[in-house]
């Protein structure tokens, strides 16, 4: 495979030659430095690289170009190579525009002209970006291919796992000529799909998530047996705790059951998160947080299901699903919540075949010119409706109440009101679903009268309820009637500490009924269900961990 590409774009020939020269001097032995004289020609180059299956590591674009600005180019380039690191080359007078671009195109860095000496002003920046890019799954699995059936729940599960872990892949249908050729080369048949084929020729049939994680280079086993801090859950709260724990010198490991980001990682656009006035996708926010945690030295384990928590004296022992264990001085529980299952006849059998829980980015392009049904009235459902409206002819948002005001942010309600492709159906529930190979029909019911009607539908996305995954903590920690973990002052009833509490002090604010174990984010009882508050609680939990460790 050809060396990864560093692409530079500048309409000034002298500047273009200079930046390419300095890049080749430092990186020419490992990377292919390609330069372009305009945004359109650079996009054409990227399209050719994409078709040839080559990798692009870094994009360096000048801000002021006549046909297409550097910001416009970088925004368009994200669709072709989303994992490539993006740098804006700018003059001092344009630094405000560069700062704005950090949010607009998820810019990684901006460089001022002139960048001399490059040893001080260019290479340290590019070194860091290349290290970050090399650590991404794309660098290890640029040519990963998945062969499967269109309406297959196992095929969907593979694609969804890869997408949520930000692993790029090429999707091929088993009955297409190229898909059939790949199956033949792998010694497999259409009955063996999904089949995942790695760049080095290794292939897996019906892989487990752990198999997939290993294949694409995600860490699945801890490097040590004992840590200062174990964070359970990789959503915003867990990532926040991992970043702050590792940055403050704690030996930190984050354990995630499926994919970092949690429900927030599936959001197509989060527009009310502080510091991102243009909004940021859940995937972008997750990628940045994950890279930040790794930069500070945290370990991130994927596909490890924690099934037990034990008080082991001065340590806290966590048990994995396979029976292995890991221990730490302190634990932060940030397992979040999952969507409730919609209990209507026919839906369970069609899950992954037209019925989906949460917003699945893998399916949106397949909804072009079709009608999509979404169940739910909170922000996640509203964000999904906006996202799918870019593809579908019509998005039907089904809600139990009379309107959205009780459960959705005002900015989202206003967006939906202005969107001609989104129709809100109040007092409407899904009573049943049916179909053969995939979902074909829905039965909708009026929640007030019980009157039903049938509609043709191939796509149903469900965003209902918040269900904590805390059954494994039964009898270990105090939980409320819904399963959320009770913490801090809420554990002290009538001046009495929780049963079995061994210390002379009251539990700290986010501390659970087991000293040294803290809960942050959506899994905590009475928490605010927002990304910003989850990140804040993750950071706060680490400060309380320090207080706990100092008292031991």
């Amino acid at each position: 495979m050809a060396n990864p590409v560093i692409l530079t774009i500048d309409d000034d020939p002298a500047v273009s030659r200079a930046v390419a020269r300095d890049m080749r001097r430092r990186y020419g032995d490992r990377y292919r430095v390609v330069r372009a004289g305009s945004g359109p020609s650079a996009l054409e180059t990227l399209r050719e690289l994409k078709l040839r299956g080559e990798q692009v590591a870094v994009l360096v674009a000048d801000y002021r170009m006549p046909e297409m600005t550097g910001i416009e180019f970088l925004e368009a380039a994200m669709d072709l190579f989303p994992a490539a690191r993006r740098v804006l080359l700018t003059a001092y007078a344009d630094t405000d525009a560069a700062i704005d671009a950090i949010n607009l195109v998820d810019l990684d860095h901006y460089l001022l002209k002139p960048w001399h000496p490059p040893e001080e002003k260019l290479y340290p920046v590019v070194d860091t970006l290349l290290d970050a890019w090399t650590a991404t799954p794309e660098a290890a699995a640029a040519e990963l291919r998945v062969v499967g059936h269109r309406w297959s729940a196992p095929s969907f599960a593979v694609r969804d796992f890869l997408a949520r872990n930000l692993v790029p892949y090429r999707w091929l249908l088993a009955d297409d000529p190229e898909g059939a050729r790949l199956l033949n080369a792998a010694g497999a048949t259409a009955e063996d799909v999904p089949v995942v084929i790695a760049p080095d020729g290794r292939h897996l049939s019906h892989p487990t998530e752990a198999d997939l994680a290993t294949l694409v280079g995600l860490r699945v086993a801890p490097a040590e047996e004992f840590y200062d801090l174990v964070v359970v859950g990789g959503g915003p709260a867990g990532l926040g705790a991992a970043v702050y724990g590792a940055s403050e010198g704690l030996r930190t490991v984050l354990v995630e059951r499926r994919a970092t980001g949690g429900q927030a990682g599936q959001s197509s656009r989060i527009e009310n998160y502080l510091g991102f006035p243009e909004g940021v996708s859940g995937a972008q926010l997750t990628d940045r947080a994950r890279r930040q945690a790794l930069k500070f030295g945290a370990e991130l384990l994927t596909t490890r299901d924690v099934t037990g928590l034990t008080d082991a004296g001065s340590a806290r022992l966590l048990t994995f699903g396979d029976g292995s264990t890991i221990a730490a001085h302190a634990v932060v529980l940030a397992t979040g919540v999952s969507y409730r299952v919609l209990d209507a006849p026919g839906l369970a059998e069609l899950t992954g075949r037209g019925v989906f829980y949460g917003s699945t980015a893998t399916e949106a392009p397949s909804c072009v010119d079709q009608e999509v049904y979404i169940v739910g009235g909170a922000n996640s459902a509203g964000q999904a409706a906006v996202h799918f409206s870019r593809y579908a002819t019509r998005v039907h948002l089904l809600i139990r109440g009379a309107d959205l005001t009780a459960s959705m942010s005002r900015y989202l309600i206003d967006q939906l009101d202005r969107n001609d492709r989104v129709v809100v159906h109040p007092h409407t529930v899904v009573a049943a679903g049916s179909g053969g190979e995939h979902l074909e029909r829905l039965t909708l019911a009026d929640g007030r009268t019980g009157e039903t009607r049938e509609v043709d539908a191939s796509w149903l996305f469900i965003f209902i309820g918040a269900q904590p995954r805390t059954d494994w903590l039964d009898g270990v920690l105090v939980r409320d009637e819904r399963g959320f973990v009770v913490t801090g002052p809420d554990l002290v009833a009538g001046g009495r500490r929780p049963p079995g509490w061994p210390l002379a002090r009251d539990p700290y604010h986010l501390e659970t009924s087991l000293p040294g174990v803290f809960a942050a984010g959506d899994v905590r009882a009475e928490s605010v269900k927002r990304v910003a508050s989850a990140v804040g609680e993750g950071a706060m939990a680490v400060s309380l961990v320090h207080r706990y460790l100092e008292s031991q």
Side-chain angles (χ1 to χ4, degrees):
M1 184 179 293
N3 285 339
V5 169
I6 296 174
L7 180 62
T8 69
I9 308 96
D10 200 302
D11 64 314
D12 185 329
V15 176
S16 180
R17 286 193 297 269
V19 69
R21 177 200 63 216
D22 288 343
M23 290 288 193
R24 289 192 181 102
R25 183 183 301 160
R26 175 87 164 198
Y27 309 107
D29 60 329
R30 292 162 289 151
Y31 295 88
R32 189 154 59 93
V33 179
V34 178
R35 62 189 181 98
S38 70
S41 66
L43 283 177
E44 187 58 36
T45 298
L46 288 181
R47 292 187 187 99
E48 292 177 5
L49 293 171
K50 189 73 173 179
L51 288 174
R52 293 203 298 264
E54 296 191 42
Q55 302 175 67
V56 176
V58 173
L59 301 165
V60 182
D62 183 57
Y63 171 61
R64 289 189 178 273
M65 293 187 290
E67 295 181 76
M68 175 184 283
T69 69
I71 294 175
E72 291 169 340
F73 164 75
L74 292 173
E75 188 171 20
M78 289 171 66
D79 294 332
L80 294 168
F81 290 95
R85 303 306 171 200
R86 293 172 282 277
V87 180
L88 195 67
L89 197 60
T90 182
Y92 180 78
D94 296 323
T95 52
D96 286 345
I99 293 171
D100 289 341
I102 292 174
N103 293 324
L104 185 62
V105 298
D106 198 23
L107 192 69
D108 290 289
H109 211 282
Y110 68 89
L111 290 170
L112 292 176
K113 296 186 288 187
W115 57 85
H116 298 294
E119 289 75 14
E120 294 180 11
K121 298 183 177 180
L122 176 65
Y123 297 150
V125 171
V126 179
D127 285 348
T128 299
L129 296 178
L130 288 174
D131 287 345
W133 179 82
T134 303
T136 62
E138 180 174 273
E143 291 297 313
L144 194 75
R145 288 159 291 181
V146 179
V147 184
H149 294 306
R150 176 68 195 89
W151 296 109
S152 159
S155 295
F156 164 74
V158 166
R159 295 162 58 213
D160 188 52
F161 176 83
L162 294 173
R164 292 186 61 183
N165 280 285
L166 307 178
V167 180
Y169 64 91
R170 189 177 175 197
W171 165 243
L172 302 120
L173 294 174
D175 51 4
D176 282 350
E178 187 173 0
R181 284 192 293 269
L182 281 172
L183 290 178
N184 184 54
T189 69
E191 303 301 317
D192 299 314
V193 299
V195 173
V196 181
I197 303 165
D200 60 6
R202 288 178 297 159
H203 54 274
L204 300 171
S205 176
H206 290 284
T208 65
E209 290 184 347
D211 292 335
L212 281 174
T214 302
L215 186 70
V216 302
L218 298 172
R219 183 186 287 271
V220 297
E224 303 179 35
E225 295 181 354
F226 195 91
Y227 292 83
D228 294 321
L229 175 64
V230 175
V231 181
V232 185
L239 287 168
V243 167
Y244 280 90
S247 68
E248 294 174 10
L250 298 177
R251 290 173 299 160
T252 302
V253 60
L254 182 150
V255 182
E256 168 54 44
R257 189 171 65 99
R258 194 150 189 266
T260 52
Q263 286 187 3
Q266 300 181 70
S267 296
S268 55
R269 205 75 179 167
I270 303 169
E271 297 191 52
N272 59 352
Y273 188 70
L274 185 67
F276 291 87
E278 302 298 328
V280 61
S281 75
Q284 289 171 334
L285 196 62
T286 297
D287 179 51
R288 285 182 168 221
R290 185 179 58 80
R291 285 192 279 132
Q292 202 170 11
L294 291 170
K295 181 186 79 170
F296 287 124
E299 286 182 41
L300 269 60
L301 307 184
T302 309
T303 67
R304 298 308 299 264
D305 196 13
V306 179
T307 58
L309 170 64
T310 307
D311 180 357
S314 62
R316 301 292 173 260
L317 191 69
L318 291 164
T319 303
F320 294 130
D322 62 0
S324 61
T325 60
I326 189 173
H329 289 302
V331 174
V332 173
L333 300 173
T335 51
V337 294
S338 58
Y339 294 115
R340 279 196 299 111
V341 173
L342 182 55
D343 187 18
L347 297 187
E349 298 84 353
L350 294 167
T351 299
R353 298 188 292 124
V355 176
F356 307 94
Y357 287 87
S359 177
T360 57
T362 54
E363 300 305 303
S366 299
C367 298
V368 172
D369 297 332
Q370 298 189 47
E371 299 207 355
V372 169
Y373 287 80
I374 294 175
V375 180
N379 279 7
S380 54
Q383 290 161 354
V386 172
H387 180 61
F388 279 101
S389 70
R390 299 169 187 162
Y391 301 88
T393 55
R394 187 79 62 198
V395 176
H396 301 272
L397 188 58
L398 314 179
I399 61 173
R400 286 179 175 271
D403 56 44
L404 296 165
T405 55
S407 56
M408 189 177 292
S409 295
R410 186 72 242 177
Y411 82 92
L412 268 174
I413 296 174
D414 292 341
Q415 283 189 28
L416 295 177
D417 287 343
R418 296 191 300 266
N419 194 324
D420 293 337
R421 293 193 176 189
V422 178
V423 179
V424 179
H425 299 267
H427 304 294
T428 304
V429 298
V430 175
S434 61
E437 185 183 21
H438 61 91
L439 175 68
E440 296 173 0
R441 287 172 302 281
L442 288 174
T443 301
L444 306 181
D446 187 306
R448 298 161 300 180
T449 66
E451 182 180 351
T452 63
R453 60 189 175 95
E454 277 203 355
V455 295
D456 293 332
S458 296
W459 304 97
L460 176 66
F461 298 89
I462 301 166
F463 302 81
I464 56 171
Q467 208 167 22
R469 296 189 298 269
T470 59
D471 289 348
W472 60 283
L473 295 170
D474 186 32
V476 180
L477 301 181
V478 174
R479 300 178 297 152
D480 68 12
E481 65 280 0
R482 295 180 296 163
F484 291 93
V485 177
V486 181
T487 61
D490 292 336
L491 287 167
V492 182
R496 307 173 80 174
R497 295 168 185 144
W501 182 259
L503 304 179
R505 61 167 176 83
D506 289 347
Y508 294 137
H509 182 62
L510 300 180
E511 197 168 21
T512 70
S513 57
L514 178 60
V517 177
F518 300 81
D522 290 358
V523 74
R524 191 177 68 83
E526 305 302 325
S527 65
V528 178
K529 305 298 188 282
R530 289 289 184 268
V531 175
S533 61
V535 173
E537 287 194 5
M540 187 191 303
V542 172
S543 69
L544 296 173
V545 166
H546 281 294
R547 190 185 302 180
Y548 167 77
L549 294 177
E550 289 166 1
S551 67
Q552 297 304 296

